[in-house]
Amino acid sequence: MNTTRQGAAVDARGIGVEGPRGWAFQGIDISAQPGTLIAVEGSSGSGRTCLLLALTGRMRITEGTATVAGLPLPQRMGTVRSRTAIAHVPGVVDLEPALTVGEHLREQALLGHRFQGLGASLPWGKRHKEATRARVDAALAAVRLDPATLPKGLRTAVRDLERIEALRLSVALGIMHGPQLLAVDDVDLKLSEAERAQAWQMLRDLALEGTTVVAAGSDAPADALTVRTTRAKPAAATPAPVKDEPSSPVEDEPSAPVKDAPRTAEQDEHRAPVQDAPHTTEEEAAHAFAETGRA
């Protein structure tokens, strides 16, 4: 298995995701060592978010072969999900505007105690408090989010954060449990040029520390491994031959049955398996996850 303790190697050959309306993305090749910063570029609707979800085991690939941390996809999607994390994906992992920065961090830290063998410790115990504080401090330091610079420190509500601060918080929550691969969507969404540079530098630093980072956006650093998604063009319809004599009018044929709604990996774990049919745009993929709860 080609991994390090922190990072996950990614190897993909001709992968794609096809839904009822066509291909979300197709023909993607990636070969990245652990600790690589992978920048996903492409126009809106070209399948960038779907690619992030596929590489983290949250959307089933329908074409090609891929391994993440040595685990084949889609065969080991569940294990890949447990070793990866996603951040800043609208409709999939959202910050709660009414909650404070500290509340988000403490909640996420508590979820990780079972992975550190602290599940049996009492939440008010000294060991538990020290572990929670250490986990929170490490995440904040990694994304360079200093509570002292916020209006009310850790008691600042998410709604009062600047966009770059909200991005840093999202990434801090994503790395809290030490994933081998972190996927970040819309890195440069509505950020200034200076803030975009800060965002990419944050992700580059995470990669230099060993975590493999896959991020969708533009203006990526020159040393990032760039992957471009493009929407496949639909095949042109063949025109029907024109007859010499007019034909009698015919009633419209019934339309083909509509396929089932797209299924997420979380749904597959609790219901009988059926053919996956992921949506073809980032927004639709996010809505599919939102309907079944937080990923």
Side-chain angles (χ1 to χ4, degrees):
M1 189 176 296
N2 188 17
T3 66
T4 64
R5 180 181 179 184
Q6 290 178 299
V10 178
D11 185 74
R13 293 290 179 267
I15 63 171
V17 168
E18 184 181 19
R21 303 170 195 166
W23 291 95
F25 65 86
Q26 191 175 18
I28 298 296
D29 296 325
I30 303 174
S31 181
Q33 294 299 313
T36 300
L37 173 58
I38 305 170
V40 180
E41 296 182 350
S43 60
S44 177
S46 64
R48 297 184 310 175
T49 302
C50 291
L51 177 57
L52 299 186
L53 297 176
L55 292 177
T56 56
R58 291 161 174 84
M59 181 170 284
R60 185 180 297 272
I61 63 172
T62 54
E63 178 183 71
T65 61
T67 59
V68 174
L71 301 165
L73 289 173
Q75 295 89 338
R76 302 289 301 278
M77 290 175 65
T79 307
V80 170
R81 284 199 302 275
S82 70
R83 300 189 182 186
T84 61
I86 54 178
H88 204 244
V89 183
V92 183
V93 282
D94 290 313
L95 299 175
E96 292 290 346
L99 294 182
T100 67
V101 173
E103 288 170 338
H104 276 92
L105 292 167
R106 286 191 295 273
E107 179 184 45
Q108 191 73 359
L110 291 174
L111 294 176
H113 282 311
R114 60 192 178 94
F115 298 109
Q116 299 262 329
L118 300 175
S121 61
L122 298 176
W124 56 84
K126 181 178 179 180
R127 184 185 178 203
H128 192 286
K129 289 181 179 180
E130 290 177 348
T132 298
R133 177 173 297 180
R135 186 180 288 270
V136 168
D137 290 345
L140 290 176
V143 301
R144 299 182 182 179
L145 181 59
D146 184 0
T149 63
L150 303 179
K152 297 181 181 179
L154 292 177
R155 301 179 67 180
T156 303
V158 166
R159 67 167 66 94
D160 297 326
L161 294 176
E162 299 292 337
R163 291 187 181 277
I164 184 64
E165 294 168 342
L167 174 63
R168 292 184 188 278
L169 176 59
S170 296
V171 174
L173 298 176
I175 64 174
M176 190 80 73
H177 300 163
Q180 292 180 287
L181 182 147
L182 173 70
V184 186
D185 199 12
D186 289 335
V187 171
D188 52 3
L189 179 65
K190 297 183 179 180
L191 296 181
S192 67
E193 183 177 351
E195 289 172 335
R196 287 198 298 271
Q198 294 174 26
W200 281 110
Q201 186 60 52
M202 169 184 63
L203 299 180
R204 175 197 264 175
D205 291 342
L206 291 176
L208 290 175
E209 290 296 322
T211 303
T212 303
V213 179
V214 186
S218 57
D219 298 330
D223 57 349
L225 174 63
T226 301
V227 177
R228 291 180 173 86
T229 57
T230 55
R231 178 181 291 280
K233 295 182 179 180
T238 304
V242 179
K243 295 183 179 181
D244 294 335
E245 297 181 359
S247 58
S248 58
V250 181
E251 294 183 359
D252 292 337
E253 295 181 358
S255 59
V258 179
K259 291 186 178 181
D260 292 337
R263 299 176 56 79
T264 65
E266 285 77 3
Q267 287 174 307
D268 288 337
E269 294 178 356
H270 302 289
R271 298 174 59 181
V274 299
Q275 182 179 0
D276 289 301
H279 280 294
T280 59
T281 68
E282 291 96 321
E283 181 179 3
E284 290 170 335
H287 288 332
F289 277 89
E291 291 173 359
T292 59
R294 294 285 160 78

